Each structure stands twice: as structure tokens, then as C-alpha cells.
Amino acid sequence: MQQPHPHPHPARQSRPPRTEQPSPSRPRGPRRRRTVLTALACAAVLVGAGPTAPGTGASPALELTRGGVASPAAAARQVEALDRGVVSVHTDSGNLISWRWLGTDSDTVSFNVYRAGTKVNPTPVTGSTNYFHSGAPAQADYTVRAIVGGVEQADSVHALQLRTGYKDVPLTPPTGGTTPDGVAYTYEANDASVGDLDGDGALDIVLKWQPTNAKDNSQSGYTGNTFLDGLTLDGTRLWRIDLGRNIRSGAHYTQFQVYDYDGDGLAEVAVKTADGTVDGGGAVIGSSSADHRNSSGYVLSGPEYLTMFNGRTGRAMQSVDYVPARGSVSSWGDSYGNRVDRFLAGTAYLDGSRPSLIMARGYYTRTVIAAWDWRGGAFTRRWTFDTNSSSNTGKGYDGQGSHSLSVGDVDGDGRDEIVYGAMAVDDNGSGLWTTRTGHGDAQHLGDLDPSHAGLEYFKVSESAGQPAELYIDPAKGTVNWKLAACCDNGRGVAGDIWAGNAGAEVWSASDGSIRDEGGATKGREPSSVNFLSWWDGDPVRELLDGTHIDKYGPASDTRLLTGSGVHSNNSTKATPSLSGDILGDWREEVVWPTGDNRALRIYSTPYETSTRITTLLHDTMYRTGLAWQNTAYNQPPHPSFFLGDGMATAPRPTVYTP
């Protein structure tokens, strides 16, 4: 669908396998990281010091925090070695070309844009990472060249062309089937994640295929198998994994993580497996003939595994026993199989520099969270947090989980914590805090209040006896304000959607207005309580719901995009397959399946921007948020810094690439 050219907002090749890098040292550091590790030297540039390679053990330099107190400089974090991610979005007026400002680029890098070898910009692009080429046809071929120290570099990858405003990634659905009780089913493209599966610098897609008879844990009945596909953006299927009959299908059973855990330049795929799981090479995990389903369709017996799959081939590299084991089904809160199989998953930089895998079970009663490192082709369990352990018993950590989790450095020590509903677990696996306000459906962790140093946390409650909304200081678990208990408050959102109020606004399904960081009402409730997207040219975030994107206004919302021929996922949650900064500059793409499930349709913004921000993929809080987005009740990612109206200059990340 052709779109008119929007006005800009004013003022506002495959690489060889890489060897594993040594782990950088882990000094404690401030939350705000502004130094950059260059790709050439692969060394952390610290204030007042020369380059220091990761793992050298050199003493860190000191830098001043906002308060003038000296503290160790932040450790560099491992991130993906990405290409420019150039994208060309056609409108009736021409093409918007945008690209990534990488965390490994210099602060002063500028760019030239070339069409078929001819430069189209009169002067280097310095204030943003986009350029509108007026009057150009949809099929125009673009590359971008960085200018470093006055010297123009080689061509980038060629732009991905969105000739009709979107790009289709072709799909082949699995063949449907019939359950043992005679119910026929087909397949729908469901949640997706991204990672560089083949090491070429471009993000690839891991897509979950969900059968039409997928179930909530509270619902009995057989389901079809769940499949995972590894796909390049041109639709090439690298592999297909069949999780098998002994992994029940539904939002709470099949959390998967896609991330480069070992630093070899290739993303791995981690997921819970069982007897009969078939990897991307056709090998079966466990027994191929075992069928552990009971007459109600639940799987309450048989072995459970955690498997790490090779991102390039889909082959299982190692399977270990899933932690925790289910044990007695009734010990998790009921006897029929609802609460025992509530799983969450995530990725966190627990040592401050390299990613670890988080796999969890339970949140209504007992909760167990296991942290795993994947190094040298093998799992090592870093720690296990268990609300039933003697160190946690009686402290109120049980029954505090939500239908999702969040990851971020909440206490400013340079290492990530896991915020798990109404509780948080420290980077070392010990309980950090609990508000004892119970289970909830939605939560948001981010820098929501730019006037306050550190992160903030907004949560809604499902229990009618708990506060409908809570605004929490996640460093200590202090409840800054809360609303009275009301109901099962099913959805809540936090984000800067309106320039008329400083910082992020928060709202929920049970509230009739938006509120500020102090809990004061600021205006009417938006038209949706779901996802968010940085879509147009200013730093204010937009509303993403169902198959459309809207701009909030004090009187009414304005429709910016309606997806053509697509569907949303996950029933009433109405979420996309994926939403996030996966192409071009820092604005976010949205990915929906087409109505026939024969393609993933990727939309990217056609709006110009004058704001220049490092790709959000190199902000590790945002990047891990993309990784856990598919977990249970999907939530949008948030960066580690405030991105919104009146924002300060966005910080540069301290990162290194494999």
C-alpha cells in the first residue's frame, strides 16, 4: 500500500566462525554508560585511560558519577556484530533510507548515501541516520558509507527494499493433523524472535508455529505439536525444530530464547524439550515413541529437558534436565496441571559483561529460577533461586510472579537483576526484594522518570485484593505509590506517549486516565492498553495494538498505520509476532503474520527523524527485552535510558563484539 510522504518532525556475506572471547572483568560501575568499545581494537575505552582489552585484568579507570563520586567504569558488554541494517521504505514521494549507528562506531561518525554507486546526499548526514531521497522509484538500490576521521569507508550491505511500505518473509506452515480425540487442527504463525543465526551480520528470525488448538494451562484437551523455524529475511528456512507431542502448546509452555550466549558470533536457541523433540537435523531427543499425555491432554509425567540448539543448523548441541523438575504436581498449587507448567524465560548479563540464560517455573505459589551459562559447547548452572529454600522461606517471595519478567540493572552495580512480578532476584541469585503484592498480568521496567536516577517499575495486579497499579523503585522494592484494589486488572502500560507531560505516562485497563510518575492524573486514557512503538519522527512513543499504530493526543488518537492483510496473535492480547528495532535506525519495526500465515509482513517507519540514537540493539537492556518479548504474555522492550520528549543526549553504550 502506497503511503504519502510524511513530513519530518522539527527539532525533534557470511563470516568465518569466531573463536570464543575471554570474559571481560567485572568492575562495578554506574548505570549510565557513555564510553564505546571500538570494533577494531575490541577494547573498552575508559575515561582517563587507554584501551583495555576484555579479560586482561587491568585495573579499571575511574569516572565521575552525576554526584561527583568516583566509581569504577562500567564493564564492556558483549553484543552482536551487526551490519548497517539498511532499509529503504517507499512512499508516494520517494524513499526513506535509514541505517544503524552501531555501538562500535565513533561518536563523530557521519554517512553518505549512494544509489547504485552515485551519492545522493549533498552533504554528509551527521544529525541522524536516515535520509529521504525525493522522487526515487521503489526499486532504487541503496548503500551507505560511513565517514570516519574524514575518510569514507566501504559500502554497507544493500538496502532491504520495502517497496509497498512492508517486506514479506515467505513462510511454509507445518502440516496440520488430528488429536487422539479426533479434533483437527492447522497452524498459525505466532511469536517470533531475532538473532544472527548464520554469522553474516544480519538478523534472522526464529518463528514459533502454534496449532489452532493451543491451550491455556487452565484448559484441558490435546494440542498439536509446536514448531520453531529458523528463517533469513529472504524467507530461506535454515531449519525446523519439532518440539514433539510431550511439549504442550500454548503461551505458558513454550518460551524460547535466541541469543549469542557463547560469543562465537552465532545466535543459539534455547527452549524446554522432552521425549520426542526432533532437532533441525532430524535427530530425536529422548524416546521417539514415548507419549506422556494423559486423557486430559496434560503432560504431567516423563523427563523434561533444557536444550541448546545451534542457530545455523538447528541441531541440538546439549540437553540437560530442566530445572526445576516438576516433582509432585500438587505441590505447585493444584493437582490437574495448571500451575505446575507455568514457565518464564529470559536473558541477563549477570556478570556484567556476558549473557546468561534464565529459565523459570511457577509464579502462583512456588517459584524457581535457574541461571545458566553456555560456554565451550556446554551448560553450566550459575545459580538457582527457589522460594522453597530455607533462605527464602517466610520472606514473601512465593506467589509473587507475573505472566512475564523483566531484566535490567536495577541497583546500578553494572550487573543485571531479574524482576519477576512483585519480587526481584539479584545477579547472584539471592532475593533482592518483594513487595508481597502478588501476581500480575503486565509489567514495565525502564527509565520512566528522567528526573530520577536509575530505573523505575510499573506493575498491575490480577488479584482483586491487591493494588490495581503500583509504581515501584526497583532498586529496593519501595512502592512509591499505588491505587486501591479493584479487580483483575489485566493490562497495563508505561511509556512516554505524550509530550504534554514530563517523563513516561502509565495507565491500565481499570483506570480511566493516564498518570505521571507521582500517580497524578494527566489526561484521558489512550485507546489501547497493549504494546508501544517508536514509529514516527519524534522521541515520543506510539500505541501499538492489534494490527494498527496510533499517535496519542489529549483529545483523541490519530491512526498512523493499519497493517494490510495481517493478523495479530495471542487472542485478546492482540500482539504482533515481534515489535522492536530490528532494521534501520533506532525506530521500531512491527512484524505481523499475513492472514493466510504464508508470510511474515515487516513494516518499517516511513517518517523522517532528526534524532540520532545508537541502534537500540546495542543497548543490552533493550536487546534482552527483545529476547524475552515472546515469554507468556508478551510485553514491549524498554531501553536502559529515558527515550522520550525532552530527553538528554542518548548515551553511547560500552560494548564489544565477538
Side-chain angles (χ1 to χ4, degrees):
M1 182 176 75
Q2 301 286 68
Q3 302 180 50
H5 169 49
H7 295 292
H9 288 258
R12 286 277 191 224
Q13 319 159 28
S14 293
R15 283 193 284 267
R18 302 175 177 87
T19 56
E20 183 174 321
Q21 295 287 334
S23 175
S25 55
R26 307 185 309 169
R28 289 178 175 260
R31 186 180 65 85
R32 306 285 184 181
R33 295 181 288 274
R34 295 181 180 270
T35 55
V36 178
L37 189 80
T38 66
L40 179 63
C42 197
V45 182
L46 304 174
V47 177
T52 303
T56 61
S59 298
L62 295 179
E63 63 182 359
L64 295 180
T65 64
R66 288 180 180 177
V69 179
S71 62
R77 292 193 173 199
Q78 173 195 309
V79 295
E80 293 149 309
L82 298 171
D83 61 27
R84 287 283 167 211
V86 188
V87 62
S88 172
V89 183
H90 184 65
T91 74
D92 289 340
S93 303
N95 297 323
L96 179 70
I97 305 98
S98 74
W99 58 92
R100 295 175 181 135
W101 182 22
L102 301 170
T104 50
D105 286 328
S106 72
D107 291 355
T108 57
V109 66
S110 57
F111 299 93
N112 285 326
V113 181
Y114 285 80
R115 176 188 173 189
T118 300
K119 187 160 71 78
V120 299
N121 55 304
T123 58
V125 180
T126 59
S128 67
T129 52
N130 69 173
Y131 180 79
F132 190 80
H133 190 200
S134 181
Q139 68 273 18
D141 179 32
Y142 296 98
T143 58
V144 172
R145 299 178 190 175
I147 304 170
V148 180
V151 179
E152 187 176 75
Q153 308 298 300
D155 269 332
S156 68
V157 294
H158 290 258
L160 185 71
Q161 296 176 349
L162 277 60
R163 297 184 179 185
T164 55
Y166 57 78
K167 162 73 175 177
D168 277 356
V169 178
L171 302 175
T172 302
T175 302
T178 304
T179 59
D181 54 355
V183 177
Y185 59 89
T186 57
Y187 278 92
E188 296 177 330
N190 190 249
D191 295 336
S193 193
V194 289
D196 185 359
L197 301 177
D198 54 12
D200 65 355
L203 290 181
D204 306 296
I205 296 173
V206 176
L207 171 68
K208 181 174 76 171
W209 288 101
Q210 189 161 277
T212 51
N213 61 353
K215 304 292 185 185
D216 185 85
N217 297 51
S218 63
Q219 301 169 338
S220 63
Y222 292 97
T223 72
N225 296 4
T226 298
F227 293 86
L228 297 176
D229 279 0
L231 305 160
T232 64
L233 289 183
D234 65 5
T236 300
R237 194 172 77 201
L238 301 175
W239 43 261
R240 172 168 285 174
I241 295 168
D242 177 1
L243 294 183
R245 66 169 69 93
N246 294 308
I247 295 291
R248 203 164 186 249
S249 294
H252 303 288
Y253 299 99
T254 49
Q255 329 307 340
F256 62 97
Q257 291 294 287
V258 182
Y259 220 86
D260 180 8
Y261 290 103
D262 58 7
D264 67 352
L266 307 173
E268 291 82 39
V269 181
V271 66
K272 181 176 177 285
T273 59
D275 281 342
T277 296
V278 182
D279 76 5
V284 178
I285 295 173
S287 168
S288 61
S289 60
D291 187 345
H292 302 296
R293 297 173 294 182
N294 65 22
S295 59
S296 296
Y298 288 99
V299 181
L300 303 180
S301 63
E304 301 174 291
Y305 307 115
L306 170 63
T307 301
M308 188 69 81
F309 294 92
N310 184 293
R312 189 197 298 271
T313 66
R315 294 181 182 272
M317 295 186 287
Q318 188 186 19
S319 294
V320 295
D321 289 337
Y322 191 86
V323 175
R326 69 169 67 84
S328 171
V329 171
S330 60
S331 69
W332 296 88
D334 61 65
S335 59
Y336 70 98
N338 178 4
R339 298 184 176 189
V340 66
D341 279 354
R342 299 283 180 158
F343 300 100
L344 299 181
T347 296
Y349 288 75
L350 299 174
D351 67 358
S353 57
R354 302 186 71 186
S356 297
L357 172 67
I358 304 298
M359 300 298 283
R361 182 179 220 140
Y363 39 76
Y364 289 116
T365 51
R366 181 189 180 195
T367 288
V368 182
I369 306 170
W372 300 87
D373 290 338
W374 176 257
R375 310 282 187 264
F379 281 114
T380 302
R381 190 150 31 118
R382 177 179 282 268
W383 48 254
T384 303
F385 172 89
D386 189 342
T387 56
N388 278 6
S389 72
S390 58
S391 60
N392 295 320
T393 301
K395 294 185 178 180
Y397 287 100
D398 56 308
Q400 302 303 309
S402 286
H403 284 302
S404 60
L405 53 71
S406 298
V407 172
D409 178 12
V410 302
D411 55 9
D413 66 357
R415 299 187 289 273
D416 286 345
E417 285 72 45
I418 295 93
V419 180
Y420 200 89
M423 55 173 266
V425 176
D426 207 352
D427 57 83
N428 61 6
S430 62
L432 187 63
W433 52 259
T434 173
T435 61
R436 305 190 187 196
T437 51
H439 170 71
D441 279 4
Q443 59 184 51
H444 295 263
L445 177 70
D447 191 348
L448 307 178
D449 179 5
S451 69
H452 173 263
L455 305 177
E456 291 78 40
Y457 179 52
F458 176 69
K459 173 189 173 294
V460 298
S461 298
E462 180 176 300
S463 172
Q466 295 291 355
E469 298 178 9
L470 298 101
Y471 196 89
I472 298 167
D473 180 348
K476 298 179 180 179
T478 305
V479 177
N480 292 347
W481 59 263
K482 60 186 178 182
L483 299 186
C486 73
C487 49
D488 178 349
N489 197 10
R491 301 295 277 174
V493 185
D496 186 17
I497 60 165
W498 182 40
N501 171 61
E505 294 74 49
V506 301
W507 69 102
S508 73
S510 71
D511 199 1
S513 60
I514 56 173
R515 298 177 182 271
D516 65 12
E517 69 281 356
T521 58
K522 289 295 183 178
R524 68 171 188 88
E525 185 179 25
S527 59
S528 64
V529 190
N530 199 355
F531 254 58
L532 298 167
S533 176
W534 280 292
W535 184 253
D536 65 4
D538 63 36
V540 173
R541 216 167 184 184
E542 280 67 58
L543 306 167
L544 169 57
D545 182 51
T547 58
H548 56 265
I549 294 176
D550 296 332
K551 183 82 169 178
Y552 177 82
S556 63
D557 297 339
T558 301
R559 183 64 43 87
L560 300 182
L561 173 71
T562 299
S564 173
V566 297
H567 70 79
S568 60
N569 289 323
N570 303 313
S571 186
T572 59
K573 299 301 182 285
T575 53
S577 290
L578 185 70
S579 177
D581 176 17
I582 60 176
L583 292 169
D585 60 26
W586 55 273
R587 270 88 58 81
E588 295 177 299
E589 282 65 45
V590 58
V591 183
W592 288 295
T594 55
D596 61 2
N597 294 293
R598 292 283 174 177
L600 287 177
R601 186 157 288 174
I602 304 175
Y603 282 86
S604 189
T605 182
Y607 293 85
E608 291 181 82
T609 184
S610 59
T611 300
R612 174 161 142 151
I613 298 173
T614 308
T615 175
L616 297 181
L617 292 165
H618 281 174
D619 180 89
T620 57
M621 180 171 166
Y622 184 92
R623 182 64 185 89
T624 56
L626 270 188
W628 56 249
Q629 184 178 129
N630 69 80
T631 294
Y633 291 173
N634 304 12
Q635 304 295 324
H638 296 276
S640 63
F641 58 93
F642 176 72
L643 204 172
D645 181 65
M647 64 183 289
T649 300
R652 302 297 319 282
T654 303
V655 297
Y656 72 97
T657 59

